[in-house]
Amino acid sequence: MYKGSISIALLLIFGVSYLYKLYDLKSNSEIEANVLGRGKKDAKLKYTENFLRITTSVWILLWIFSIVFNSYISRFSFRYLNDIYFEIIGLIFTAIGVVFFELAIYFMKSSWRVGVDRNTRTSLITNGIYKYSRNPAFVGFDLMFIGLFFTYPNTLSLIVACCNIVVIHLQIMEEEKFLQERFGSEYANYKKSTPRYLFF
């Protein structure tokens, strides 16, 4: 029971904050923050962003499905991971991931975007959590992907986690190209002092 309740709470915190940030930027700054797969972009970036849209949508649906139909899908779980300690580890990973995401969107302020935005000018954010990671929101996502797998360990959650981690990395590489192009030496210096993820 506790697993489902905590998982629902974390999903709601993540989902509400994500949607509120989009709404806040749109209503207060007239910024369309969700540009994932939209606008004039080269084929590789557009493909990566559209693939990311699909894989993260599947992840959210799986998260909801896992909470609602846990008793059904638990029959397909990995037996060696079907343990309360792994569930606790999964919930902790998910909670830390949500915290990373929340801090990332807070410190990013009006420069936060979903996808590469070539149409509006943003600032390079290097303070707060961005002093320790160049991509804290993506670190948060990766932790949530891993957390979902440990909380609901089955073949599908493993595949979804692995696919999303790979696609997130590809998106980071594309965004780094854009940031290097947009901010030049400022971003190059930032890269030297701050790891891409957290410790590497």
Side-chain angles (χ1 to χ4, degrees), residues 45-97:
L45 175 57
K46 203 145 197 170
Y47 174 80
T48 302
E49 290 191 346
N50 283 324
F51 196 37
L52 181 60
R53 184 197 301 274
I54 293 166
T55 57
T56 51
S57 296
V58 170
W59 163 65
I60 290 292
L61 290 172
L62 180 61
W63 194 349
I64 295 168
F65 187 88
S66 297
I67 294 167
V68 176
F69 299 106
N70 180 44
S71 59
Y72 175 75
I73 65 170
S74 63
R75 286 182 272 177
F76 303 99
S77 297
F78 297 127
R79 289 177 185 264
Y80 56 92
L81 291 178
N82 197 9
D83 187 280
I84 189 170
Y85 296 110
F86 285 105
E87 290 178 1
I88 292 169
I89 290 168
L91 292 171
I92 290 170
F93 268 69
T94 305
I96 295 171

Side-chain angles (χ1 to χ4, degrees), residues 169-185:
H169 179 73
L170 295 175
Q171 180 68 21
I172 287 172
M173 301 305 287
E174 291 298 315
E175 290 192 7
E176 286 190 353
K177 290 179 194 173
F178 167 73
L179 292 169
Q180 185 65 62
E181 172 191 310
R182 176 64 60 93
F183 296 104
S185 60

